[in-house]
Amino acid sequence: MFGFLKSLFSRRVEPALPPPRFTTVDLARRLGVDAAELARVDVSYKAFQVPKRSGGMRTIQAPAPPLMAVQRLILRRLLRRLRAHPNATGFERGHSIVTNALPHVDKDIVIRLDLVNFFPSISADRVERYFRFIGYDQEAATILTRLCTYKGSLPQGAPTSPRLSNLVNYRLDARLAALAESRGLSYSRYADDITFSARIADLAATRCANPKALERQKRRQPRPNDLIHAAKAVIASEGYRLHMHRKLRVSRRHDRQLVTGLVVNSKPDLPRATRRRLRAVADHLRRGRPATLTPQQLAGWHALQAMIAAQRATPAS
């Protein structure tokens, strides 16, 4: 047990790199692009800002069309074949905000954490080491890193960045999943949004075997502070920081429990206020009255509601 805890909370120890198996020639062959052409691709981006839901602005770095075309090749022919941790649900095929929320439905406590500057915190050095770790030699890993990073980190706007963010964070997810399992909690991560949840009985069962003590423990509310501090230590050792105030949420059963924008108290669903607004908009449009959404926008919301209804019927893994 001591060894497990030591490995869980110690600073990240990078595994030794395996002998390289793939060269620049192998990379070019896999991508279907001449090796010399890969080396000549101009790494150029256009930056612009978009508003965040929570307020403030987010900087998006959009790659120039020639670079984006190569990045899409890298995503389709290389990155999509690689395996991310099963608890990473953002940007993954077969996953959505619904599948991310499902493990946290009908829980006594839901703890939401948020990483600060997630994409900019993933350095080019980490990306290059990942490419070396999966078998590319130094030259090929350097080319891939040059094509997938910008100004020393993952650019938010490149098509390769979301998938790479999951691949390079496999160890982070494995450590947080182990932390959750050791305490009887569920864990998922959707990009920079981390969620833990548990039922009181599940927490109690992991802490005491005595039946009388178990009953007493079931009547107590779980205390999330120790989990938050433990998670913060793991996250810090992996090179990230947590929002410790505005974006940290601890919700109990009597609260409205939100996970990736969905209420999860009884089933994943849009918040009640949002559902009421959509009904009002539909009624206004039906009567020919002014509405805050266009028919096309309302159709998009209805498509989202249909997706939520379909995917919440899938049992959480």
Side-chain angles (χ1 to χ4, degrees):
M1 176 61 75
F2 176 77
F4 167 76
L5 292 174
K6 184 177 180 180
S7 66
L8 192 62
F9 300 114
S10 62
R11 291 193 61 82
R12 181 175 72 248
V13 177
E14 299 289 359
L17 293 173
R21 293 175 291 138
F22 308 117
T23 66
T24 303
V25 174
D26 297 315
L27 173 63
R29 186 183 301 118
R30 176 164 291 183
L31 298 181
V33 178
D34 183 79
E37 183 180 343
L38 279 178
R40 289 195 300 266
V41 174
D42 182 35
V43 177
S44 177
Y45 289 81
K46 181 179 180 180
F48 60 94
Q49 291 189 319
V50 296
K52 297 180 180 180
R53 284 186 180 182
S54 57
M57 303 298 289
R58 173 178 287 111
T59 299
I60 302 297
Q61 294 159 326
L67 176 60
M68 180 176 286
V70 174
Q71 290 174 340
R72 285 174 173 164
L73 279 177
I74 294 171
L75 175 63
R76 185 171 66 252
R77 299 186 180 183
L78 174 59
L79 300 182
R80 279 183 178 164
R81 303 181 181 191
L82 303 172
R83 188 166 66 95
H85 194 276
N87 292 75
T89 59
F91 323 119
E92 292 295 312
R93 282 185 173 183
H95 284 289
S96 68
I97 59 172
V98 184
T99 60
N100 181 72
L102 279 170
H104 310 294
V105 171
D106 191 30
K107 297 295 181 70
D108 291 299
I109 187 168
V110 174
I111 302 170
R112 291 168 46 209
L113 310 175
D114 189 87
L115 301 177
V116 177
N117 295 327
F118 179 57
F119 282 97
S121 297
I122 302 174
S123 69
D125 288 342
R126 285 188 67 187
V127 174
E128 180 175 324
R129 185 173 179 85
Y130 176 77
F131 286 129
R132 294 286 308 281
F133 182 73
I134 62 174
Y136 285 94
D137 66 14
Q138 182 64 65
E139 182 182 17
T142 299
I143 291 174
L144 281 167
T145 303
R146 186 180 78 88
L147 294 172
C148 295
T149 63
Y150 183 58
K151 293 184 177 179
S153 63
L154 282 186
Q156 191 163 0
T160 46
S161 291
R163 188 79 174 100
L164 275 170
S165 73
N166 284 341
L167 295 172
V168 302
N169 281 305
Y170 193 103
R171 177 183 166 96
L172 169 69
D173 290 319
R175 294 178 71 190
L176 291 178
L179 173 64
E181 183 179 2
S182 71
R183 296 166 183 249
L185 290 95
S186 299
Y187 161 73
S188 69
R189 180 178 63 82
Y190 194 99
D192 57 358
D193 194 342
I194 290 171
T195 308
F196 296 94
S197 65
R199 295 185 179 91
I200 294 176
D202 296 337
L203 286 168
T206 63
R207 293 178 180 175
C208 53
N210 183 286
K212 292 183 179 180
L214 181 60
E215 287 302 316
R216 288 196 300 271
Q217 189 77 304
K218 285 181 180 179
R219 291 192 292 269
R220 298 177 184 173
Q221 290 289 314
R223 297 180 179 179
N225 284 347
D226 58 341
L227 170 72
I228 293 171
H229 288 304
K232 181 181 178 183
V234 171
I235 288 164
S237 73
E238 294 291 330
Y240 299 101
R241 292 185 298 117
L242 281 178
H243 286 282
M244 291 303 295
H245 299 291
R246 187 166 58 93
K247 294 187 178 182
L248 191 156
R249 293 287 183 272
V250 178
S251 306
R252 302 183 186 273
R253 189 173 286 277
H254 60 272
D255 301 316
R256 186 182 70 162
Q257 298 171 326
L258 282 173
V259 177
T260 45
L262 301 178
V263 178
V264 295
N265 292 71
S266 59
K267 62 182 179 181
D269 207 348
L270 292 174
R272 182 179 301 173
T274 302
R275 301 197 307 271
R276 287 176 174 171
R277 173 172 170 257
L278 294 177
R279 288 195 296 268
V281 167
D283 183 65
H284 281 213
L285 291 174
R286 188 168 52 251
R287 296 170 182 267
R289 297 165 59 187
T292 56
L293 297 175
T294 66
Q296 293 77 16
Q297 290 172 324
L298 182 62
W301 278 99
H302 285 166
L304 174 61
Q305 287 180 298
M307 183 196 78
I308 294 169
Q311 292 189 0
R312 70 186 172 205
T314 305
S317 58

